Amino acid sequence: MSITLTTNPADKTKVKARPMIKHIRTYLLRHKLDESFGFSQWHYDTRNALLIEIEDDRGNIGWGECYGPSEVTQSAVHSIYAPLLIGWDPLKNEAAWQHCWRASLDFARSGIMMGAMSGLDMAMFDLKGKLLGVSASELMGGRRVDKLECYATGMYFRKIPENDLLDMILEEARGYVDQGFKAMKIKVGKNIEFDKRQIRAMREAFPDVRLMADSNHAYDLPEAIEIGRVLEECLFDWFEEPLSPQHPELFAKLADKIDVPIATGECEQTRWGFQKLLGAGGVHIVQPDLAYCGGPTEALKIRAIASSLGINTIAHAWGTMLNLASATHFLATNHVEPGRAEPSQPLLEVDRTPNPMRDEMYSTTLEIKDGQVAVPTAPGLGVEPDRKALAGFCINQTEV
Ligand code: MG
């Protein structure tokens, strides 16, 4: 516990000395990949991340992470939001969120600015847990499980002939099964014919593995219906981002035509954005990203809205260990709708694409073994970047 009792010289009574945010630092991290990998929209040849460090007046540290274009998000954190939070009590994360929200409402109801607020909120959540001596899942209401089943996200595209690509995808998938994963998610949206071949080949090769497919909003409605029917025939668990997030009204039309569950939401933000998306119907699983949707504080509200509509929430997780730890705590506190004595277990997304900033930069990290992860019990998020390793990836640092 880092909160101490001190004497108030004015009235001689014992009062609790409140912590105060003293510094907010940002770290723009970059790693150039040996080989690019792609999905339906483009190919990655570098990995980027933006980490946020909040330090209070006693040297306690909270870490957060933002999802989105790191340079722009860094500027939003450093020049707009960090100055608003210096001197703020880090235990007041709800009030801080509202303070930032109202201060930038005219131009920041969604997008990069909300991504910036998300990382700050995550860092404040981590710091609050450390100050109170409780884990993030306890701050979220208490974990329901101590371990989570994970699914491997991978099988991205390469710039090679399609027959070779399909062989490579199946080999990669076999590797995840060998590591103990019982669920996997493939990328679709390359082109319709390849997508159908890939879906069928995956099911044929892995008849007993839970499979999901993610198009990253690659299809129009007729294409999504065509692919959805193949996923249905191959008993996939869900069809992720089948359609553009710009057209929430199309999800209900798709849901009328196919029987595979529809998942989406990684591009959406705030309770208001999700209310609009889910209110239009057709979405069965909602996927806010805690480094983008508004942070852990806002994700709890998004989950409450989804729950009120009978929709289950499974956090999207990309980036480094801070976001994955946030998603882990969030999922561990999930109550499956509507619930039963033997409920289905939500699956944690574990990105397996190359990223040394995720795999080699943390001194305290999540252990993924046999396709499962233990929910951290240490105060806060339970993962800590190694400063020396972090410095090796850092191309720009700021401090307020
Ligand atoms: Mg996705």
Side-chain angles (χ1 to χ4, degrees), residues 107-119:
F107 44 84
R109 288 157 56 225
S110 63
I112 288 153
M113 301 287 278
M114 187 51 62
M117 276 178 60
S118 303

Side-chain angles (χ1 to χ4, degrees), residues 185 187 214 216 240-241 266 287 316 349:
K185 188 168 77 188
K187 289 290 164 184
D214 184 359
N216 296 93
E240 181 167 323
E241 282 205 293
E266 67 185 73
Q287 301 170 300
H316 172 258
E349 176 165 28

Side-chain angles (χ1 to χ4, degrees), residues 199 219 223-234 239 254 258-260:
I199 293 163
Y219 303 124
E223 289 171 332
I225 293 169
E226 187 176 347
I227 293 297
R229 286 183 175 150
V230 181
L231 293 171
E232 187 183 310
E233 159 203 319
C234 292
F239 187 5
L254 178 61
I258 62 173
D259 282 340
V260 62

Side-chain angles (χ1 to χ4, degrees), residues 165-393:
L165 176 60
L166 190 53
D167 288 345
M168 192 185 218
I169 286 171
L170 290 168
E171 194 185 323
E172 183 183 338
R174 221 161 273 126
Y176 299 137
V177 172
D178 290 345
Q179 288 167 33
F181 285 97
K182 295 178 185 66
M184 295 184 282
K185 188 168 77 188
I186 58 167
K187 289 290 164 184
V188 290
K190 187 175 188 298
N191 63 66
I192 296 287
E193 290 316 309
F194 180 81
D195 296 342
K196 291 200 277 195
R197 262 180 81 198
Q198 188 196 190
I199 293 163
R200 291 188 172 120
M202 282 292 292
R203 178 46 79 211
E204 199 182 320
F206 305 103
D208 302 323
V209 176
R210 292 177 72 178
L211 296 173
M212 292 79 79
D214 184 359
S215 100
N216 296 93
H217 46 77
Y219 303 124
D220 63 17
L221 183 58
E223 289 171 332
I225 293 169
E226 187 176 347
I227 293 297
R229 286 183 175 150
V230 181
L231 293 171
E232 187 183 310
E233 159 203 319
C234 292
L235 301 174
F236 271 54
D237 267 45
W238 73 65
F239 187 5
E240 181 167 323
E241 282 205 293
L243 299 160
S244 166
Q246 208 55 32
H247 301 294
E249 71 284 356
L250 294 184
F251 286 90
K253 292 185 179 171
L254 178 61
D256 279 347
K257 299 282 187 184
I258 62 173
D259 282 340
V260 62
I262 295 169
T264 195
E266 67 185 73
C267 300
E268 196 50 79
Q269 296 172 303
T270 75
R271 72 202 86 158
W272 301 281
F274 278 92
Q275 190 180 44
K276 193 172 167 191
L277 170 66
L278 300 181
V283 177
H284 304 102
I285 299 158
V286 67
Q287 301 170 300
D289 188 307
L290 273 65
Y292 184 70
C293 72
T297 303
E298 191 64 8
L300 294 170
K301 296 179 172 67
I302 292 163
R303 184 162 71 184
I305 286 172
S307 161
S308 76
L309 296 165
I311 295 167
N312 282 305
T313 306
I314 297 183
H316 172 258
W318 182 254
T320 84
M321 279 295 169
L322 285 160
N323 196 23
L324 187 59
S326 300
T328 301
H329 288 288
F330 186 70
L331 215 58
T333 58
N334 213 24
H335 288 265
V336 178
E337 287 289 334
R340 56 177 182 260
E342 296 176 31
S344 60
Q345 297 302 322
L347 291 167
L348 177 71
E349 176 165 28
V350 176
D351 164 32
R352 298 284 83 192
T353 57
N355 189 355
M357 298 181 296
R358 178 196 63 221
D359 297 337
E360 296 160 24
M361 201 182 72
Y362 285 82
S363 52
T364 311
T365 193
L366 298 174
E367 297 292 342
I368 295 147
K369 210 174 160 213
D370 297 329
Q372 291 190 323
V373 67
V375 185
T377 52
L381 293 171
V383 294
E384 292 289 327
D386 175 84
R387 286 189 184 275
K388 199 172 159 206
L390 184 146
F393 294 108

